[in-house]
Amino acid sequence: MLKLFCLSRAGVALLFTKPIFEAAEYGPGDTEWLHLLVGDWQIIADTAHGDLVLWLPTQFESTVMHLRDYPVGPTQDSNFTAVAQVRPSTVHTLFYKDLINQQMKPQLRAIAHRVWKTQQTERFADSETIAGLDMQTTAVPLIRNGRTLAVLTLHSETVKPRQRTHVELVYRELADELLRMTSRGIWPEFSAPVGSSRGNPRVSDGLITVDAEGNVTFASPNAVSIYKRLGFEEDLETHSLTSITRDLLPQGDQVDETLPLVLAGRMPWRSEIRTHTVSVTFRAIPLRRATALGEERFGAIILCRDVTELRRREMELMTKDATIREIHHRVKNNLQTVSALLRLQARRMESDEARQGLEQAMRRVATIATVHEALSQGLTQNVNFDGLIERQFHLAAELASPGQHVRTVLTGEFGALPSKFATPLALVINEVVANAVEHGLGTETGTVTMDAHRSVNSRAEQTLTVTITDDGRGMGVKKIESSGVGTYSSSGDGLGMQIVRTLVASELNGSIRWEDNEPRGTKVIIDAILVGAHT
């Protein structure tokens, strides 16, 4: 598993050594290539059955002493610092404590200086790096554009006198090829895809080697098992991997156009196939050797992984997401039906008080329906509350003041809120805005302003403060004490204010207060603690 000095699994250790990078005066692409290596070198550790460590000098010679094109190397007395480390997943590790930020012991340091200057790999018996443990260490210079960038060391257990298995011999040979390509700076390739590793095949999942023509020369036991699950019962070796795989695919299915290039090992890409029962993902690593004419491809490593269960779970999640969205959509439709029924009933009422009560209930049901409508359009249970409340804010003011001109102003940002906060908060705002229009402005023309502000309190909890003000005649604020929750102030004790106080205390974990607004009007301040919400 990849271990770096700081938080990230690829790159923070290199950022930590920024002064060293600047002293080395690396050329264009050098730093990025080292980042690629640290992100992809698990393959070398797994095939070599050993631990890898990346070392950088602590001090560089001054460039003033050299010609412009002369490689700048470490000073004679410079040590090397470990900036990244990876452990193999195919065997046990030799390092139970990280080497990150540690420096080389004298024996390895002398060899690292020699390797840096000669640009030649050295392998030696190492009894110094870990006291009491004999291991075989390989020091590899990392070279790009003729200059050494760093030293890579491979630490593996000293092989006891025994006959190695065929798999071990193949893996070791592949590791040596990858180390030689890495030393020449041609692997990892910049054209290889980067990004999410979900489903990315590993050495332990299945490994196949092919020659320059794409014929199989070796298949690990796990790779053989994958092809048996695909329906191929014969020996893979000597067959064209592209032809074998193409024949196993369902007739008429569209095939990824990159698949032949990946299976033949021609390009360092990824591809995936799906049969009726099995899904397999592939990754190609072309193998190249240096010749008089340049780099020549002589074969490739093809990593494969059975991702059937992974894709099944992904499909289940997609189905569940679609189901949840459909449920929210149906709840919204049902609530709108209830709202319409309340509207019809209100029109038949002769009592003004009964009509107003039904209209208020209709407005509350419509507010909840709006939240479910927003939830039905997304893939998460979070709501973009700014887009939702802007429309609801204007609608609440209009419904509370038919025939009256009320201006609404919205400032600040609510951000994304979980649905468990979105519904009660929307209801609270709906009631407070309606109260501000009906009782604060009365029959006057005026403005209702709402401001939202998110912050983090001393206990690292996400908090939200919503302030709603009007410039009307005021509501005659009086203080009302509420046990165990906080201090409230209100101008009335109607059903709407009871709903507001209950929701704020029980659902929003907060408090609400009314104050006189200067020079005129009323200010309502809602403080909520959004437990479990993210910035």
Side-chain angles (χ1 to χ4, degrees):
M1 303 293 287
L2 185 62
K3 298 290 290 184
L4 294 177
F5 179 75
C6 289
L7 299 177
S8 172
R9 290 189 176 271
V12 174
L14 302 181
L15 296 176
F16 167 75
T17 57
K18 185 177 179 181
I20 299 180
F21 275 90
E22 293 175 347
E25 295 184 358
Y26 284 164
D30 289 345
T31 303
E32 291 77 6
W33 180 77
L34 287 175
H35 278 267
L36 283 178
L37 174 62
V38 170
D40 216 11
W41 61 352
Q42 183 74 55
I43 299 170
I44 302 178
D46 289 345
T47 52
H49 295 167
D51 297 77
L52 291 175
V53 184
L54 181 65
W55 305 85
L56 293 177
T58 54
Q59 295 178 342
F60 285 87
E61 294 181 353
S62 173
T63 56
V64 177
M65 301 172 59
H66 304 284
L67 298 175
R68 182 180 297 272
D69 59 349
Y70 190 88
V72 178
T75 59
Q76 187 174 357
D77 58 350
S78 171
N79 207 327
F80 291 79
T81 300
V83 296
Q85 176 181 341
V86 65
R87 293 183 170 92
S89 61
T90 49
V91 294
H92 65 83
T93 179
L94 299 179
F95 298 104
Y96 292 96
K97 292 184 179 179
D98 291 345
L99 295 183
I100 302 301
N101 209 30
Q102 294 188 22
Q103 296 190 344
M104 287 181 174
K105 299 293 178 64
Q107 179 190 17
L108 181 56
R109 181 174 60 192
I111 293 174
H113 274 280
R114 187 163 62 247
V115 165
W116 188 289
K117 293 179 180 179
T118 63
Q119 296 188 337
Q120 297 294 320
T121 297
E122 292 193 24
R123 184 173 296 169
F124 61 98
D126 183 359
S127 59
E128 185 182 46
T129 301
I130 300 181
L133 178 64
D134 292 332
M135 67 174 71
Q136 187 179 63
T137 296
T138 304
V140 181
L142 303 184
I143 306 165
R144 288 192 82 240
N145 300 320
R147 64 170 302 184
T148 307
L149 305 181
V151 173
L152 181 70
T153 56
L154 168 64
H155 307 269
S156 55
E157 192 174 6
T158 301
V159 180
K160 297 178 182 179
R162 67 174 178 84
Q163 186 175 1
R164 287 188 174 185
T165 65
H166 179 56
V167 173
E168 287 180 297
L169 292 173
V170 171
Y171 276 25
R172 184 67 211 192
E173 182 181 349
L174 293 176
D176 289 341
E177 293 292 349
L178 289 173
L179 283 173
R180 282 191 283 268
M181 291 168 58
T182 303
S183 179
R184 300 198 301 274
I186 65 170
W187 187 85
E189 300 183 44
F190 280 99
S191 59
V194 295
S196 174
S197 60
R198 185 169 177 81
N200 189 29
R202 301 157 297 189
V203 170
S204 56
D205 295 319
L207 184 146
I208 299 172
T209 60
V210 297
D211 58 21
E213 285 73 39
N215 298 318
V216 178
T217 57
F218 169 81
S220 71
N222 284 344
V224 172
S225 297
I226 288 175
Y227 268 84
K228 284 187 176 181
R229 287 194 289 273
L230 285 170
F232 188 79
E233 297 292 340
E234 301 178 34
D235 190 356
L236 284 171
E237 294 186 13
T238 72
H239 288 83
S240 168
L241 188 61
T242 303
S243 300
I244 291 174
T245 308
R246 187 188 297 117
D247 293 340
L248 295 172
L249 296 178
Q251 294 294 325
D253 282 10
Q254 187 175 2
V255 179
D256 187 348
E257 60 184 12
T258 64
L259 182 63
L261 296 175
V262 171
L263 296 178
R266 297 183 181 277
M267 298 300 295
W269 295 341
R270 299 174 191 169
S271 190
E272 186 169 331
I273 63 170
R274 294 186 182 183
T275 66
H276 297 302
T277 57
V278 181
S279 295
V280 180
T281 182
F282 297 91
R283 180 190 175 186
I285 304 171
L287 297 176
R288 310 179 195 277
R289 60 166 59 104
T291 67
L293 300 177
E295 297 290 340
E296 178 186 35
R297 183 179 63 85
F298 66 92
I301 299 173
I302 310 297
L303 301 178
C304 55
R305 178 180 178 183
D306 186 341
V307 291
T308 306
E309 186 64 20
L310 180 63
R311 297 297 180 251
R312 185 187 66 81
R313 292 179 181 178
E314 290 176 347
M315 185 60 65
E316 284 184 352
L317 289 175
M318 291 176 62
T319 303
K320 288 179 180 179
D321 284 339
T323 302
I324 291 171
R325 289 199 301 271
E326 180 62 22
I327 290 173
H328 283 304
H329 181 70
R330 293 187 181 185
V331 170
K332 182 262 297 184
N333 288 343
N334 292 338
L335 289 172
Q336 287 180 336
T337 300
V338 172
S339 180
L341 292 174
L342 290 173
R343 183 183 299 109
L344 290 174
Q345 187 67 35
R347 290 174 180 174
R348 300 175 64 89
M349 300 303 295
E350 297 180 358
S351 168
D352 290 341
E353 183 177 355
R355 185 184 303 109
Q356 289 177 3
L358 289 174
E359 289 176 348
Q360 289 175 357
M362 176 193 69
R363 187 178 64 224
R364 290 160 187 156
V365 171
T367 299
I368 300 175
T370 303
V371 175
H372 282 279
E373 181 183 13
L375 288 170
S376 69
Q377 297 173 356
L379 293 175
T380 68
Q381 288 296 295
N382 288 342
V383 180
N384 178 12
F385 201 76
D386 292 289
L388 181 152
I389 203 60
E390 182 177 6
R391 181 175 69 255
Q392 189 64 30
F393 179 33
H394 298 314
L395 183 61
E398 289 178 4
L399 291 176
S401 59
Q404 177 184 350
H405 177 69
V406 177
R407 180 170 172 263
T408 55
V409 177
L410 178 60
T411 60
E413 292 185 1
F414 288 86
L417 297 179
S419 59
K420 66 177 181 179
F421 296 119
T423 299
L425 182 58
L427 284 171
V428 168
I429 291 174
N430 180 79
E431 295 295 333
V432 173
V433 170
N435 196 55
V437 173
E438 294 174 1
H439 302 288
L441 296 180
T443 59
E444 301 176 1
T445 297
T447 302
V448 178
T449 303
M450 180 165 61
D451 176 74
H453 175 69
R454 291 184 69 162
S455 59
V456 180
N457 63 18
S458 59
R459 291 177 293 184
E461 296 172 322
Q462 285 290 321
T463 63
L464 173 66
T465 300
V466 182
T467 305
I468 300 173
T469 59
D470 66 76
D471 56 1
R473 61 191 178 186
M475 294 186 289
V477 173
K478 61 179 180 179
K479 296 293 182 181
I480 298 177
E481 298 296 331
S482 177
S483 60
V485 180
T487 301
Y488 296 83
S489 57
S490 174
S491 60
D493 248 355
L495 176 61
M497 293 305 101
Q498 291 178 17
I499 292 174
V500 166
R501 287 197 293 271
T502 301
L503 290 175
V504 169
S506 62
E507 302 294 332
L508 300 180
N509 314 301
S511 62
I512 183 171
R513 64 184 185 275
W514 279 257
E515 299 177 357
D516 290 325
N517 188 38
E518 298 296 337
R520 68 193 303 256
T522 306
K523 177 188 296 184
V524 184
I525 303 171
I526 305 165
D527 291 309
I529 300 177
L530 308 178
V531 179
H534 301 283
T535 305

